[in-house]
Amino acid sequence: QVQLVESGGGLVQAGGSLRLSCAASGRTFSNYAMGWSRQAPGKEREFVASINWSGGRTYYADSVKGRFTISRDNAKNTVYLQMNSLKPEDTAVYYCAANSRGYTSSYRGDYDYWGQGTQVTVSS
């Protein structure tokens, strides 16, 4: 089992920045690829970023490319999502997820564990 706890969400004005953190506990964190997805009210969940087990490979959805950066610190069992130039359409609940296969993926079915989510609200 892997437990994931997100933090860092909040209310920010358009153009602002937030950094989300996801702390993992349980099994060996460095064995897992990690990802962030989001879900806005009335919309399907969208995978926004993923990072492989070593941090050497990343994936970004087109909607966030150039604005969001995913990173990880295996010594701290934590993955981060730095979000810059935020837009109102980034408003959503953001979820952290762990993928035991170790590689980056935007496919929800590849992820074995999910956090409870943290709310991000971007005002215009």
Side-chain angles (χ1 to χ4, degrees):
Q1 282 278 19
V2 174
Q3 292 78 42
L4 303 172
V5 179
E6 303 96 335
S7 62
L11 173 65
V12 63
Q13 288 190 330
S17 298
L18 281 175
R19 188 175 84 155
L20 305 183
S21 299
C22 174
S25 61
R27 298 195 176 176
T28 306
F29 176 72
S30 59
N31 288 345
Y32 289 81
M34 301 297 295
W36 288 94
S37 67
R38 66 186 181 186
Q39 189 163 21
K43 294 190 176 181
E44 297 221 346
R45 191 171 293 197
E46 174 190 21
F47 230 96
V48 298
S50 177
I51 189 167
N52 76 333
W53 66 273
S54 69
R57 289 186 181 271
T58 55
Y59 157 86
Y60 296 97
D62 288 343
S63 57
V64 306
K65 202 171 291 184
R67 300 187 298 121
F68 290 12
T69 302
I70 189 171
S71 62
R72 67 189 295 158
D73 186 337
N74 286 346
K76 295 183 177 179
N77 289 356
T78 302
V79 63
Y80 305 97
L81 186 67
Q82 178 67 43
M83 306 186 295
N84 298 330
S85 303
L86 283 162
K87 305 175 181 179
E89 51 263 44
D90 294 318
T91 295
V93 178
Y94 283 70
Y95 298 90
C96 172
N99 167 5
S100 62
R101 294 153 188 80
Y103 51 76
T104 57
S105 174
S106 61
Y107 174 51
R108 186 175 173 180
D110 280 340
Y111 290 82
D112 308 284
Y113 303 101
W114 294 83
Q116 293 300 305
T118 185
Q119 176 71 47
V120 171
T121 303
V122 184
S123 63
S124 56

